Amino acid sequence: MGYFLLRRTISFIVTLFVVSAVVFAVMNILPGDPALTILGLDATDDALAALREELALNDPVITRYGQWVWGALRGDFGVSHSFRVPVSELVVERLPLTISLAISGMVVTVILALVLGIGAAAHHRKAGDWGVMFLSQLGIAVPAFWLSILLVLLFAVKLRWLPPGGFPGWSEPLGAIRALILPTVALALVQAAVLARVTRSSALEVMRLDYIRTARAMGFSRQRVLWRHVLPNALIPIVTIVGLQFAALVTGTIVIENVFYLPGLGRLIFQSIANRDLPSVQALVMLFAAIVVTANFIVDLLYLAIDPRLKARS
Amino acid sequence: MTRLPVNLMIGAVLVGLVVATAALSLVWTPYDHTLLNIRDKFAPASPVHWLGTDQLGRDVFSQLMAAARNSVAVALTAVFIGGSIGVSLGLLASAIGGLVEDIVMRLADISFAFPALLFAIMLAAVFGPSLTVAVVAIAFINIPVFARVARASANQIWTREYVFAARAAGMGRFAITRDHVLPNIAAPVIVQATIEFAIAILAEAALSYLGLGAQPPAPSWGRMLSEAQTLMYLAPQLAIYPGLCIVVAVLGFSLLGDGLRDVTDPRLVRER
């Protein structure tokens, strides 16, 4: 087990470094002259020289990469070119919204998927099962941003129950929660469609096993067997997908924040693109990629906790 | 002859519909999809404009048809480029093995840290948003997917007796890869390509919706939706049709992919 943990941790750190190198290379080597990319073709020579000085572009690439990584490790992502404040400040301001959205999306996803997936497995080959399968097939094909638009059309434009977008800030807790309902649902429904399928097929496989029949024969109720015996043993594929989905959810927030005009990291990335603010884009892409890599790492650690066989083997 | 799976048939019909529409739009649309006619803006559905017109009086049905062409072209290009590079890398990894295989597969693992959206964001920041950015980003995420599928399938082929026989007869690794491995991994690769097609259509729509893909006046379902979103109180119907088209196309390719997998690899057909 210790060996597995060590190997996985080393590979996690190496992955982060390679990812940072790719991000740095795309943002700094591909454009040729980042100063020209930021200021545009009609920039004066003086302005270009000043910006090159500011971004330390005259240093060798390796030095710049080293400084960037060293800074990032200490939470210093450089200064945003458009906002004129440290990128870390911008991130800290907007992170709570993005994290709230991702976590509430994940919670709703898991609850919906477990209830629907286990329910479908329990009603295998009956109307309920077909219904869930149909919905999940459809859910996989529906883009989250279109689902968002449909939700806004129904709940904001037609019924006027919820706001169509925007965010009043955390100082208005009720308004903040109301503003997050539609984005959360839009984010969760699509992911729940995928997870419900996995839950269903994983549960069906476990339900075929002998000890489930034994448990039923011993007189335990259907519900008890489903939630106490089937679900825990069906969890491994579910956890794998949840881990991958958390990554998808976090990048999904980029889309959803732009649909609902929520001032989170996803919106910040697009403002930075529009402003040609390369330092901010670089930092934010790295941040999102790091979240994805970390989510995968945590999934691997969860395996150890869930699957005693893996513990025994390693 | 066994009966074809239902998902295969429904998928084939939907895909046929989308591809036929895309092909037809090359030679015929009811109107020029870029034709402006401000006097006729927001016209309702009628025999003249089957699905009405948008805020600039452009015929919605013609735009949807032209956008189908854009969607299929982007998906085809991106999946072809990503698939070719990915399959080549997977075959190379499998044929050489050892360190090369390790490096290729580790790189594939690492590239999963970049969803298409993040990659497109980086490229758009550097080069400015364009359809090319979308194609490159979608192609890029396809590389590791195909590399894994090709390597896993190829590794199985390398253990077959006819490959041992070919090696004993003195055939080189690359000749064996070309003559024996590649033809035998075609089925799983084609199945994967069909599924990736669905993902590519979804990705193109999302990138164009966000403004990172097709730029005006290029027709795109995603871009039509982003324009329609600003007009939701005026003309909610404009936000419905492009989304339906995306769903039909994505559903078609994913059902077709599932169906093809069921047919080509019966071992995978679980109790449904």
Side-chain angles (χ1 to χ4, degrees):
Chain A
M1 182 176 166
Y3 176 67
F4 175 85
L5 206 62
L6 182 72
R7 234 187 52 168
R8 201 56 199 80
T9 310
I10 292 174
S11 125
F12 167 63
I13 294 168
V14 171
T15 305
L16 276 184
F17 270 103
V18 177
V19 166
S20 73
V22 172
V23 172
F24 186 84
V26 171
M27 303 296 299
N28 289 274
I29 300 171
L30 273 190
D33 184 355
L36 201 61
T37 308
I38 292 172
L39 293 179
L41 287 174
D42 44 350
T44 62
D45 287 345
D46 288 348
L48 283 173
L51 185 60
R52 280 195 200 106
E53 192 61 38
E54 183 192 323
L55 297 177
L57 293 181
N58 298 322
D59 294 347
V61 170
I62 293 290
T63 318
R64 279 157 52 205
Y65 172 68
Q67 278 164 350
W68 180 59
V69 169
W70 178 236
L73 287 174
R74 291 172 303 149
D76 172 14
F77 285 97
V79 175
S80 155
H81 182 72
S82 51
F83 289 92
R84 290 278 153 206
V85 290
V87 178
S88 51
E89 242 172 62
L90 295 174
V91 169
V92 169
E93 247 171 58
R94 287 160 175 77
L95 193 63
L97 178 59
T98 303
I99 292 286
S100 315
L101 190 55
I103 289 178
S104 60
M106 197 75 247
V107 170
V108 176
T109 299
V110 171
I111 294 174
L112 265 180
L114 289 187
V115 170
L116 289 178
I118 299 277
H123 298 95
H124 188 37
R125 288 170 194 245
K126 291 190 194 135
D129 186 20
W130 292 115
V132 170
M133 288 301 280
F134 174 77
L135 281 182
S136 81
Q137 186 74 51
L138 199 65
I140 291 167
V142 173
F145 64 89
W146 186 50
L147 185 64
S148 310
I149 294 177
L150 293 182
L151 289 173
V152 170
L153 273 179
L154 181 61
F155 292 102
V157 176
K158 193 129 186 106
L159 299 172
R160 293 174 191 274
W161 289 353
L162 292 163
F167 190 71
W170 295 110
S171 51
E172 273 180 58
L174 202 67
I177 291 172
R178 273 165 52 88
L180 286 181
I181 292 178
L182 290 184
T184 301
V185 172
L187 200 55
L189 279 184
V190 174
Q191 301 295 334
V194 181
L195 193 60
R197 292 191 124 197
V198 176
T199 307
R200 172 186 173 275
S201 63
S202 178
L204 279 179
E205 245 158 59
V206 174
M207 281 162 73
R208 272 207 293 269
L209 301 177
D210 286 342
Y211 67 84
I212 297 300
R213 204 175 43 198
T214 310
R216 284 287 284 149
M218 283 170 71
F220 291 143
S221 73
R222 252 182 101 78
Q223 289 304 319
R224 185 190 154 104
V225 171
L226 270 180
W227 295 100
R228 294 283 299 276
H229 299 266
V230 173
L231 183 60
N233 289 291
L235 270 183
I236 290 182
I238 299 175
V239 167
T240 310
I241 303 296
V242 168
L244 293 174
Q245 281 192 312
F246 187 71
L249 265 172
V250 170
T251 45
T253 59
I254 301 179
V255 179
I256 297 291
E257 283 176 13
N258 280 286
V259 180
F260 288 98
Y261 305 102
L262 299 175
L265 294 179
R267 194 103 184 97
L268 180 61
I269 263 195
F270 273 80
Q271 286 166 339
S272 306
I273 294 177
N275 295 332
R276 309 224 126 204
D277 185 348
L278 293 192
S280 297
V281 175
Q282 181 173 326
L284 290 166
V285 168
M286 185 60 217
L287 191 64
F288 276 104
I291 293 174
V292 173
V293 175
T294 311
N296 290 338
F297 177 58
I298 292 173
V299 169
D300 279 1
L301 297 187
L302 280 180
Y303 283 153
L304 276 181
I306 296 174
D307 192 350
R309 281 168 299 184
L310 195 59
K311 253 185 227 169
R313 205 183 308 145
S314 55
Chain B
M1 179 75 193
T2 49
R3 211 160 59 92
L4 288 172
V6 184
N7 48 6
L8 180 74
M9 289 191 292
I10 300 177
V13 169
L14 295 181
V15 167
L17 187 71
V18 172
V19 174
T21 308
L24 180 63
S25 79
L26 288 172
V27 290
W28 177 82
T29 50
Y31 294 85
D32 178 352
H33 67 88
T34 56
L35 188 72
L36 308 182
N37 186 355
I38 301 287
R39 271 188 310 177
D40 244 357
K41 68 179 178 183
F42 297 127
S46 68
V48 186
H49 293 288
W50 294 344
L51 293 179
T53 59
D54 69 2
Q55 72 279 15
L56 299 173
R58 290 173 297 190
D59 183 58
V60 171
F61 192 79
S62 306
Q63 287 191 67
L64 292 175
M65 283 182 73
R69 177 176 75 210
N70 170 68
S71 246
V72 172
V74 168
L76 199 64
T77 319
V79 173
F80 180 76
I81 296 173
S84 308
I85 300 176
V87 169
S88 309
L89 285 174
L91 286 174
L92 186 78
S94 178
I96 298 178
L99 191 62
V100 173
E101 187 171 15
D102 275 353
I103 291 174
V104 169
M105 294 336 282
R106 280 296 82 75
L107 284 179
D109 286 347
I110 288 167
S111 60
F112 277 106
F114 292 103
L117 181 55
L118 280 189
F119 206 70
I121 284 172
M122 283 197 285
L123 293 180
V126 171
F127 297 109
S130 70
L131 205 54
T132 315
V133 161
V135 171
V136 172
I138 300 170
F140 176 81
I141 55 154
N142 271 291
I143 296 174
V145 175
F146 280 96
R148 286 188 164 183
V149 170
R151 170 184 164 266
S153 315
N155 277 353
Q156 282 179 9
I157 307 295
W158 277 98
T159 62
R160 299 279 166 83
E161 280 176 1
Y162 57 82
V163 172
F164 286 138
R167 291 181 75 171
M171 250 178 122
R173 289 178 175 277
F174 292 100
I176 294 176
T177 297
R178 187 189 63 222
D179 294 348
H180 297 295
V181 181
L182 186 57
N184 284 298
I185 66 163
V189 167
I190 290 170
V191 168
Q192 194 63 45
T194 316
I195 294 168
E196 292 304 316
F197 233 86
I199 297 172
I201 288 178
L202 212 47
E204 187 277 328
L207 292 176
S208 294
Y209 169 79
L210 290 169
L212 300 180
Q215 301 296 311
S220 158
W221 293 328
R223 211 172 51 69
M224 287 174 78
L225 280 175
S226 80
E227 284 175 16
Q229 199 189 350
T230 58
L231 305 160
M232 268 192 295
Y233 288 88
L234 271 173
Q237 76 277 7
L238 292 179
I240 305 288
Y241 309 127
L244 282 178
C245 292
I246 299 171
V247 171
V248 166
V250 175
L251 198 59
F253 279 104
S254 68
L255 284 175
L256 184 65
D258 286 352
L260 283 176
R261 182 167 50 199
D262 293 350
V263 172
T264 55
D265 196 351
R267 283 167 305 170
L268 283 179
V269 182
R270 302 229 183 93
E271 200 185 339
R272 277 164 195 279

